[in-house]
Amino acid sequence: MSPTAPGPIAPGPAASAPTAAGPVTSDPVTSDPAASDPAAGSAAVAGPGSRGPAPHGPAARAAGGLLRRAGPALLGYAAVRLLGTLVLMKWAHLQHRGLWPLLADRWDSGWYLGIADHGYSFAFDENGPDESNLAFFPLYPVVVKAVAGVTPGSRASVGVAVAVGCALLAAWGIFAVGDRLYGARVGTVLAVLWGATPVAVVQWMGYTESLFTALVAWSLYAVLTDRWVTAGVLCLLAGLTRPTGLALVAAVCVSAVVALWRLRRAAVAESTREPASGGPPAPAPTPVSAPAPAPAPTTDSTPEPAPEPSPESTPLPATADRDRVRRIVLGVLLAPLGWLGYVGWVGLRLGRADGYFAVQRQWENQWDGGKETLRTLRDLLMYPSHPQLFLVVVALVLIVSVALFILCAGDRQPLPLLVFSAVLLLIVLGSGGVFFPRARFLLPGFPLLLPLALAIARAHRRVAVLALAGAALGSAYFGAYMSLVYGGPP
């Protein structure tokens, strides 16, 4: 690992340091956004008479404060990925090969560049020998084409630059999620661990994983901070980036349903507390000209309790709650539009309702409930005497990911993170397609790394440095091995 490795594990301010008791936030689905805005808090302390640069609004101050807080995480992530790139460059030089072709235009990168250059091809034969580029979602090639139109250099170079920029945004978002839940130290370790996964070399290639992970991280952060419209918009964009955007759609929608249910339950509880606290204001007195009849005397002076209202008949009590409901509903409506829009568009262009799924079948990629995954794991780990190292590592990544998800559930992670990880694992493990890219498909599943990040952040500093350094060196070696020795697509 780079000598700057101790930076990522430097503890944050005492107020946000991780505790053994668990997450900082008490409500994993919806919480006060102001709690995560350090800049807003600073502005409140400074007061109106403080000197300094003019404020740029709450959102700008919050973003600036979060970026400053994320500095060690971004430096640590960049150091890990630079180490991996340098190892890859040196190894490629020893083989008399260039670094740039390895990063810019091989395998799926070539498909995305082709879409950016020429658009989609609508000639499709499910049983033909030529795969359709409709299997690739459009957002990344659209971004590459748009950026290349206003910057110098080839589209291949722009594709790598976009991937690197999105990877930094993703590391920032991953830090933000970890910081929100457990403090800056855990957030920093989480971002560095994401950069040190076995196939992290893909993060700086012309692939969609970095863009998709950035959208996932910030969408989940938006859900955690009760910014539902932002979460819906980012989820819409994620659905235009990769087919596994469906996992993020599920996370946003399920979390929204739970948030609405909690609002309804809070409204019921508030309405039942009103009689005990004095109830609503008394009605105006009856005019003297029309006196009300006196009530009949009763022997029991205890008033009869009012019947409890049912959740179905209880209105939300406050205008703020109604506004929040509107935001949640709007976020839910926006979230699936990207994924559904592209899948529906492919069906319209091919003239068949199952058009996109027919394209996936042509690529030998369809969901079978995990039968092919189990068969490959059995054949790979039990029968070959000399299995390929790359495929063994992919198999171990899948097995460890399932174990980490069990730990995440045991730690009672916030609901959005659990739903996203569960659906992502279900899609990846349940696919009947090729086996080798499964570890890459799980790169956006950074919440699965939270148990490891917690353990490392709570360990002694020397142990933490050794763990992160070992992960960085292992990732650098395996990334170069995958690119130059294995030789196939990641």
Side-chain angles (χ1 to χ4, degrees):
M1 185 168 178
S2 169
T4 61
I9 60 170
S16 62
T19 62
V24 173
T25 55
S26 60
D27 189 344
V29 177
T30 57
S31 52
D32 183 12
S36 65
D37 292 349
S42 300
V45 173
S50 61
R51 296 180 180 180
H56 299 286
R61 292 196 300 270
L66 186 57
L67 180 59
R68 289 190 297 271
R69 189 173 176 82
L74 295 178
L75 289 175
Y77 169 79
V80 170
R81 291 309 331 131
L82 284 173
L83 173 64
T85 304
L86 290 174
V87 171
L88 177 60
M89 181 174 65
K90 180 62 176 179
W91 200 332
H93 177 73
L94 294 176
Q95 294 189 359
H96 306 287
R97 301 173 65 179
L99 173 66
W100 204 245
L102 296 173
L103 302 178
D105 59 4
R106 296 181 73 203
W107 308 113
D108 287 6
S109 301
W111 285 96
Y112 288 116
L113 292 176
I115 296 171
D117 289 335
H118 310 294
Y120 285 102
S121 172
F122 301 108
F124 173 70
D125 181 4
E126 185 173 350
N127 299 315
D130 298 327
E131 292 94 347
S132 172
N133 62 1
L134 291 168
F136 298 90
F137 278 55
L139 185 60
Y140 175 73
V142 167
V143 172
V144 170
K145 184 175 182 178
V147 175
V150 296
T151 56
S154 65
R155 284 182 177 170
S157 302
V158 170
V160 174
V162 167
V164 172
C166 290
L168 292 172
L169 286 175
W172 184 13
I174 290 169
F175 164 82
V177 172
D179 180 30
R180 175 76 183 179
L181 298 177
Y182 299 103
R185 185 182 178 94
V186 174
T188 299
V189 174
L190 183 64
V192 173
L193 280 179
W194 183 70
T197 52
V199 294
V201 66
V202 177
Q203 296 169 7
W204 285 15
M205 287 183 175
Y207 276 66
T208 60
E209 272 68 25
S210 294
L211 172 60
F212 182 67
T213 305
L215 294 169
V216 167
W218 286 109
S219 181
L220 292 176
Y221 179 77
V223 172
L224 293 173
T225 54
D226 203 29
R227 296 172 172 90
W228 292 97
V229 177
T230 301
V233 171
L234 294 174
C235 186
L236 183 155
L237 295 174
L240 291 170
T241 307
R242 289 199 58 80
T244 45
L246 194 61
L248 184 59
V249 172
V252 172
C253 292
V254 170
S255 301
V257 170
V258 172
L260 290 173
W261 175 75
R262 287 178 176 174
L263 281 173
R264 176 64 65 184
R265 189 175 63 173
V268 172
E270 182 67 24
S271 64
T272 57
R273 283 196 299 267
E274 283 182 355
S277 60
T286 306
V288 176
S289 58
T298 59
T299 57
D300 187 3
S301 61
T302 303
E304 182 179 352
E308 294 187 2
S310 64
E312 293 78 7
S313 61
T314 303
L316 292 175
T319 302
D321 285 342
R322 295 190 186 99
D323 292 340
R324 187 180 177 199
V325 167
R326 294 189 189 100
R327 294 196 303 270
I328 294 174
V329 172
L330 181 56
V332 169
L333 294 176
L334 289 170
L337 292 183
W339 192 90
L340 292 176
Y342 181 70
V343 171
W345 177 78
V346 172
L348 289 175
R349 297 296 299 186
L350 297 183
R352 50 189 297 180
D354 68 337
Y356 176 77
F357 303 101
V359 171
Q360 289 293 333
R361 287 194 296 269
Q362 185 194 43
W363 282 81
E364 299 181 355
N365 187 20
Q366 53 188 334
W367 202 80
D368 68 352
K371 295 178 182 178
E372 181 65 21
T373 302
L374 292 175
R375 186 194 66 79
T376 305
L377 288 174
R378 180 197 63 192
D379 294 345
L380 183 64
L381 300 179
M382 296 180 63
Y383 295 118
S385 57
H386 300 287
Q388 287 185 311
L389 174 62
F390 174 73
L391 297 180
V392 171
V393 172
V394 171
L396 292 177
V397 167
L398 298 183
I399 295 171
V400 171
S401 296
V402 174
L404 288 174
F405 178 75
I406 296 174
L407 292 178
C408 292
D411 288 343
R412 301 183 67 181
Q413 273 187 13
L415 181 65
L417 275 62
L418 282 177
V419 173
F420 172 75
S421 298
V423 179
L424 181 67
L425 283 171
L426 190 65
I427 294 173
V428 174
L429 298 178
S431 171
V434 290
F435 185 79
F436 59 83
R438 306 294 181 90
R440 172 167 63 87
F441 292 165
L442 287 176
L443 264 180
F446 69 90
L448 296 171
L449 298 174
L450 268 172
L452 295 177
L454 280 166
I456 293 174
R458 292 168 179 171
H460 189 274
R461 181 177 295 271
R462 182 177 300 175
V463 175
V465 170
L466 289 176
L468 293 177
L473 291 172
S475 175
Y477 170 81
F478 187 72
Y481 173 90
M482 177 184 69
S483 301
L484 298 169
V485 179
Y486 168 69

mmCIF file of all heavy atoms in Angstrom, residues 334-353:
data_model
loop_
_atom_site.group_PDB
_atom_site.id
_atom_site.type_symbol
_atom_site.label_atom_id
_atom_site.label_comp_id
_atom_site.label_asym_id
_atom_site.label_seq_id
_atom_site.Cartn_x
_atom_site.Cartn_y
_atom_site.Cartn_z
ATOM 1 N N LEU A 334 -40.530 8.263 -9.560
ATOM 2 C CA LEU A 334 -39.367 8.498 -10.422
ATOM 3 C C LEU A 334 -38.427 7.294 -10.465
ATOM 4 O O LEU A 334 -37.814 7.026 -11.505
ATOM 5 C CB LEU A 334 -38.600 9.723 -9.922
ATOM 6 C CG LEU A 334 -39.250 11.090 -10.114
ATOM 7 C CD1 LEU A 334 -38.468 12.158 -9.356
ATOM 8 C CD2 LEU A 334 -39.303 11.438 -11.593
ATOM 9 N N ALA A 335 -38.284 6.589 -9.347
ATOM 10 C CA ALA A 335 -37.235 5.580 -9.198
ATOM 11 C C ALA A 335 -37.204 4.535 -10.315
ATOM 12 O O ALA A 335 -36.142 4.252 -10.876
ATOM 13 C CB ALA A 335 -37.350 4.909 -7.829
ATOM 14 N N PRO A 336 -38.308 3.911 -10.707
ATOM 15 C CA PRO A 336 -38.219 2.831 -11.698
ATOM 16 C C PRO A 336 -38.251 3.295 -13.152
ATOM 17 O O PRO A 336 -38.161 2.464 -14.052
ATOM 18 C CB PRO A 336 -39.459 1.987 -11.380
ATOM 19 C CG PRO A 336 -40.455 2.966 -10.869
ATOM 20 C CD PRO A 336 -39.678 4.025 -10.161
ATOM 21 N N LEU A 337 -38.393 4.601 -13.401
ATOM 22 C CA LEU A 337 -38.624 5.054 -14.769
ATOM 23 C C LEU A 337 -37.445 4.772 -15.694
ATOM 24 O O LEU A 337 -37.636 4.478 -16.878
ATOM 25 C CB LEU A 337 -38.950 6.550 -14.776
ATOM 26 C CG LEU A 337 -40.280 6.959 -14.145
ATOM 27 C CD1 LEU A 337 -40.500 8.452 -14.295
ATOM 28 C CD2 LEU A 337 -41.430 6.176 -14.772
ATOM 29 N N GLY A 338 -36.221 4.871 -15.188
ATOM 30 C CA GLY A 338 -35.061 4.625 -16.039
ATOM 31 C C GLY A 338 -34.987 3.188 -16.519
ATOM 32 O O GLY A 338 -34.873 2.920 -17.723
ATOM 33 N N TRP A 339 -35.069 2.259 -15.576
ATOM 34 C CA TRP A 339 -34.973 0.831 -15.931
ATOM 35 C C TRP A 339 -36.156 0.416 -16.807
ATOM 36 O O TRP A 339 -35.975 -0.221 -17.848
ATOM 37 C CB TRP A 339 -34.928 -0.004 -14.658
ATOM 38 C CG TRP A 339 -34.555 -1.435 -14.873
ATOM 39 C CD1 TRP A 339 -33.297 -1.963 -14.852
ATOM 40 C CD2 TRP A 339 -35.447 -2.527 -15.133
ATOM 41 N NE1 TRP A 339 -33.352 -3.317 -15.084
ATOM 42 C CE2 TRP A 339 -34.657 -3.697 -15.266
ATOM 43 C CE3 TRP A 339 -36.827 -2.640 -15.270
ATOM 44 C CZ2 TRP A 339 -35.203 -4.949 -15.519
ATOM 45 C CZ3 TRP A 339 -37.374 -3.884 -15.532
ATOM 46 C CH2 TRP A 339 -36.568 -5.021 -15.652
ATOM 47 N N LEU A 340 -37.350 0.792 -16.388
ATOM 48 C CA LEU A 340 -38.530 0.425 -17.180
ATOM 49 C C LEU A 340 -38.518 1.106 -18.545
ATOM 50 O O LEU A 340 -38.933 0.507 -19.546
ATOM 51 C CB LEU A 340 -39.798 0.806 -16.421
ATOM 52 C CG LEU A 340 -40.108 0.014 -15.149
ATOM 53 C CD1 LEU A 340 -41.348 0.585 -14.467
ATOM 54 C CD2 LEU A 340 -40.307 -1.460 -15.460
ATOM 55 N N GLY A 341 -38.038 2.344 -18.573
ATOM 56 C CA GLY A 341 -38.014 3.065 -19.842
ATOM 57 C C GLY A 341 -37.118 2.409 -20.864
ATOM 58 O O GLY A 341 -37.509 2.238 -22.030
ATOM 59 N N TYR A 342 -35.898 2.008 -20.452
ATOM 60 C CA TYR A 342 -34.997 1.398 -21.437
ATOM 61 C C TYR A 342 -35.488 0.015 -21.850
ATOM 62 O O TYR A 342 -35.482 -0.332 -23.039
ATOM 63 C CB TYR A 342 -33.575 1.295 -20.884
ATOM 64 C CG TYR A 342 -32.636 0.684 -21.901
ATOM 65 C CD1 TYR A 342 -32.283 1.390 -23.046
ATOM 66 C CD2 TYR A 342 -32.138 -0.611 -21.746
ATOM 67 C CE1 TYR A 342 -31.451 0.823 -24.002
ATOM 68 C CE2 TYR A 342 -31.308 -1.177 -22.695
ATOM 69 C CZ TYR A 342 -30.979 -0.451 -23.820
ATOM 70 O OH TYR A 342 -30.161 -1.017 -24.766
ATOM 71 N N VAL A 343 -35.899 -0.793 -20.883
ATOM 72 C CA VAL A 343 -36.401 -2.129 -21.224
ATOM 73 C C VAL A 343 -37.622 -2.024 -22.136
ATOM 74 O O VAL A 343 -37.751 -2.763 -23.130
ATOM 75 C CB VAL A 343 -36.722 -2.912 -19.935
ATOM 76 C CG1 VAL A 343 -37.452 -4.211 -20.253
ATOM 77 C CG2 VAL A 343 -35.447 -3.207 -19.157
ATOM 78 N N GLY A 344 -38.519 -1.091 -21.841
ATOM 79 C CA GLY A 344 -39.685 -0.913 -22.699
ATOM 80 C C GLY A 344 -39.315 -0.407 -24.082
ATOM 81 O O GLY A 344 -39.907 -0.824 -25.089
ATOM 82 N N TRP A 345 -38.332 0.496 -24.149
ATOM 83 C CA TRP A 345 -37.903 1.031 -25.439
ATOM 84 C C TRP A 345 -37.313 -0.070 -26.322
ATOM 85 O O TRP A 345 -37.584 -0.126 -27.520
ATOM 86 C CB TRP A 345 -36.891 2.143 -25.208
ATOM 87 C CG TRP A 345 -36.322 2.731 -26.463
ATOM 88 C CD1 TRP A 345 -36.916 3.635 -27.291
ATOM 89 C CD2 TRP A 345 -35.033 2.458 -27.024
ATOM 90 N NE1 TRP A 345 -36.084 3.946 -28.332
ATOM 91 C CE2 TRP A 345 -34.920 3.242 -28.205
ATOM 92 C CE3 TRP A 345 -33.970 1.644 -26.658
ATOM 93 C CZ2 TRP A 345 -33.780 3.216 -29.003
ATOM 94 C CZ3 TRP A 345 -32.829 1.621 -27.450
ATOM 95 C CH2 TRP A 345 -32.740 2.397 -28.603
ATOM 96 N N VAL A 346 -36.502 -0.953 -25.723
ATOM 97 C CA VAL A 346 -35.946 -2.062 -26.505
ATOM 98 C C VAL A 346 -37.067 -2.944 -27.036
ATOM 99 O O VAL A 346 -37.047 -3.382 -28.202
ATOM 100 C CB VAL A 346 -34.952 -2.875 -25.656
ATOM 101 C CG1 VAL A 346 -34.515 -4.146 -26.393
ATOM 102 C CG2 VAL A 346 -33.732 -2.032 -25.305
ATOM 103 N N GLY A 347 -38.059 -3.205 -26.195
ATOM 104 C CA GLY A 347 -39.185 -4.010 -26.662
ATOM 105 C C GLY A 347 -39.916 -3.363 -27.824
ATOM 106 O O GLY A 347 -40.288 -4.035 -28.796
ATOM 107 N N LEU A 348 -40.115 -2.039 -27.760
ATOM 108 C CA LEU A 348 -40.777 -1.341 -28.863
ATOM 109 C C LEU A 348 -39.936 -1.384 -30.140
ATOM 110 O O LEU A 348 -40.469 -1.602 -31.239
ATOM 111 C CB LEU A 348 -41.062 0.102 -28.465
ATOM 112 C CG LEU A 348 -42.163 0.323 -27.414
ATOM 113 C CD1 LEU A 348 -42.242 1.795 -27.027
ATOM 114 C CD2 LEU A 348 -43.514 -0.170 -27.948
ATOM 115 N N ARG A 349 -38.642 -1.180 -30.011
ATOM 116 C CA ARG A 349 -37.788 -1.171 -31.195
ATOM 117 C C ARG A 349 -37.708 -2.533 -31.862
ATOM 118 O O ARG A 349 -37.605 -2.637 -33.088
ATOM 119 C CB ARG A 349 -36.384 -0.697 -30.826
ATOM 120 C CG ARG A 349 -36.301 0.713 -30.312
ATOM 121 C CD ARG A 349 -36.714 1.737 -31.347
ATOM 122 N NE ARG A 349 -35.867 1.713 -32.535
ATOM 123 C CZ ARG A 349 -35.949 2.581 -33.536
ATOM 124 N NH1 ARG A 349 -36.870 3.533 -33.486
ATOM 125 N NH2 ARG A 349 -35.147 2.493 -34.570
ATOM 126 N N LEU A 350 -37.761 -3.592 -31.073
ATOM 127 C CA LEU A 350 -37.683 -4.946 -31.634
ATOM 128 C C LEU A 350 -39.055 -5.507 -31.960
ATOM 129 O O LEU A 350 -39.150 -6.599 -32.536
ATOM 130 C CB LEU A 350 -36.963 -5.878 -30.662
ATOM 131 C CG LEU A 350 -35.496 -5.532 -30.364
ATOM 132 C CD1 LEU A 350 -34.879 -6.579 -29.442
ATOM 133 C CD2 LEU A 350 -34.679 -5.427 -31.649
ATOM 134 N N GLY A 351 -40.119 -4.811 -31.566
ATOM 135 C CA GLY A 351 -41.462 -5.257 -31.895
ATOM 136 C C GLY A 351 -41.922 -6.467 -31.118
ATOM 137 O O GLY A 351 -42.766 -7.229 -31.586
ATOM 138 N N ARG A 352 -41.413 -6.642 -29.901
ATOM 139 C CA ARG A 352 -41.818 -7.771 -29.062
ATOM 140 C C ARG A 352 -41.707 -7.366 -27.603
ATOM 141 O O ARG A 352 -40.776 -6.664 -27.199
ATOM 142 C CB ARG A 352 -40.971 -9.016 -29.349
ATOM 143 C CG ARG A 352 -39.475 -8.763 -29.349
ATOM 144 C CD ARG A 352 -38.675 -9.954 -29.857
ATOM 145 N NE ARG A 352 -38.826 -11.125 -29.027
ATOM 146 C CZ ARG A 352 -38.220 -12.293 -29.286
ATOM 147 N NH1 ARG A 352 -37.455 -12.429 -30.367
ATOM 148 N NH2 ARG A 352 -38.397 -13.312 -28.487
ATOM 149 N N ALA A 353 -42.672 -7.807 -26.814
ATOM 150 C CA ALA A 353 -42.726 -7.390 -25.416
ATOM 151 C C ALA A 353 -41.513 -7.851 -24.622
ATOM 152 O O ALA A 353 -41.077 -7.176 -23.684
ATOM 153 C CB ALA A 353 -44.010 -7.911 -24.765
#
